[in-house]
Amino acid sequence: MFHYTVETAKNVPDAIESVEQQLKANGFGVLWHMDIAQKLQEKGVDFDQAYHVLEVCNPVEAKSVLTQNLLVGYFLPCKVVVYDDHGHTKIGLTKPTTLINLVEDKELEKKAQEIEEKLIKAINGAA
């Protein structure tokens, strides 16, 4: 699977707050938060489902992987999503290991695994 997703009993706003706290505790910060429904409604498109995209980064890790291969920047920052799926709040991410395989670099695959483990730990802690 290209993603890791969990379900939480929290509502979307509480899940977002929890994700942000857990990301920080695991060395990541939220660079940008996009409320998809709000953005689409601003553009005149009706979308009433709660769907939030958090772009997250660990600056030390970002520098490390970019120093090794600039193509990795195509995948940065990492995305964590929090959304309502028919009354169930879900938190998920695209697995860094899935994306990094596209650059075919064994050393970077190890680094992606470490980053993925930290992000999954944050998501699990938030749920």
Side-chain angles (χ1 to χ4, degrees), residues 83-124:
Y83 60 101
D84 176 74
D85 184 10
H86 301 93
H88 301 275
T89 302
K90 296 191 177 176
I91 306 168
L93 69 116
T94 301
K95 291 180 175 180
T97 54
T98 301
L99 294 172
I100 209 70
N101 285 329
L102 298 172
V103 296
E104 300 176 351
D105 182 324
K106 292 294 181 195
E107 194 172 317
L108 280 175
E109 288 176 17
K110 292 176 190 172
K111 179 59 74 177
Q113 182 65 44
E114 293 170 10
I115 293 167
E116 184 174 303
E117 288 170 4
K118 290 177 186 177
L119 290 170
I120 287 173
K121 180 180 177 187
I123 286 174
N124 288 340

Side-chain angles (χ1 to χ4, degrees), residues 17-87:
E17 183 178 331
S18 186
V19 166
E20 289 174 343
Q21 291 170 356
Q22 288 296 316
L23 287 167
K24 185 175 182 179
N26 285 279
F28 290 82
V30 176
L31 302 174
W32 183 63
H33 174 174
M34 182 176 187
D35 179 337
I36 297 287
Q38 178 185 10
K39 185 56 72 179
L40 291 176
Q41 289 169 1
E42 287 174 11
K43 304 295 181 186
V45 176
D46 187 31
F47 186 79
D48 61 1
Q49 183 176 351
Y51 200 99
H52 298 260
V53 178
L54 307 175
E55 298 226 343
V56 305
C57 182
N58 176 312
V60 173
E61 299 292 3
K63 180 187 178 204
S64 173
V65 295
L66 286 169
T67 300
Q68 190 162 339
N69 189 326
L70 291 173
L71 293 175
V72 176
Y74 288 32
F75 313 134
L76 298 179
C78 297
K79 288 183 175 45
V80 174
V81 296
V82 180
Y83 60 101
D84 176 74
D85 184 10
H86 301 93

